[in-house]
Amino acid sequence: MAAKITASAPILLVKDIIHSANWYKEKLGFSYERFFGEPANFCMLHRNGFYLMLSKCNEDKIIPHWKVVDKMWDVYFWVDDVESIYNEI
C-alpha cells in the first residue's frame, strides 16, 4: 500500500515574522509556540489541526500569487461554517 499524505503546511513569505505571526494570531485565531532563528526568520502557526508557516523574505518586493495569476490565492482553507468564521474575523 502506498504511503498517505496526512497534512500540508503552506508557506507564506513575509517581511516581518513577529508582526505577521501576531496578526494571524490576533485577527484570524491562529496560535504559535515559538519563533525560529536569531533574529526571528520562521514561525509555524496552527488552528484546528491545520498549519501555516511564515518565512522571512529579504527581497525588496514580495509578489502575492493573485498579482501574478488572476483570481489565484496563496492559501485556501475549507471551513465547515463560513458565516461563523466570517463573523469571528
Side-chain angles (χ1 to χ4, degrees), residues 62-72 74:
I62 300 172
I63 302 172
H65 292 133
W66 60 269
K67 287 192 173 186
V68 177
V69 177
D70 187 39
K71 297 182 176 95
M72 183 55 64
D74 293 315

Side-chain angles (χ1 to χ4, degrees), residues 1-87:
M1 176 170 26
K4 295 180 183 177
I5 295 173
T6 60
S8 65
I11 301 172
L12 296 178
L13 301 176
V14 298
K15 290 284 185 192
D16 184 323
I17 292 290
I18 295 170
H19 174 79
S20 298
N22 287 330
W23 187 88
Y24 276 90
K25 180 179 180 179
E26 295 164 11
K27 302 290 185 184
L28 301 179
F30 280 81
S31 298
Y32 61 83
E33 279 70 46
R34 62 178 278 214
F35 295 102
F36 297 85
E38 189 60 45
N41 60 21
F42 187 80
C43 184
M44 294 176 61
L45 301 121
H46 54 88
R47 177 178 172 162
N48 306 121
F50 290 89
Y51 288 82
L52 182 64
M53 298 179 182
L54 303 178
S55 183
K56 181 170 175 37
C57 180
N58 293 321
E59 298 297 320
D60 290 334
K61 187 175 185 181
I62 300 172
I63 302 172
H65 292 133
W66 60 269
K67 287 192 173 186
V68 177
V69 177
D70 187 39
K71 297 182 176 95
M72 183 55 64
W73 49 84
D74 293 315
V75 177
Y76 190 97
F77 288 108
W78 284 266
V79 299
D80 64 349
D81 186 345
V82 72
E83 289 185 23
S84 291
I85 291 278
Y86 178 82
N87 290 331

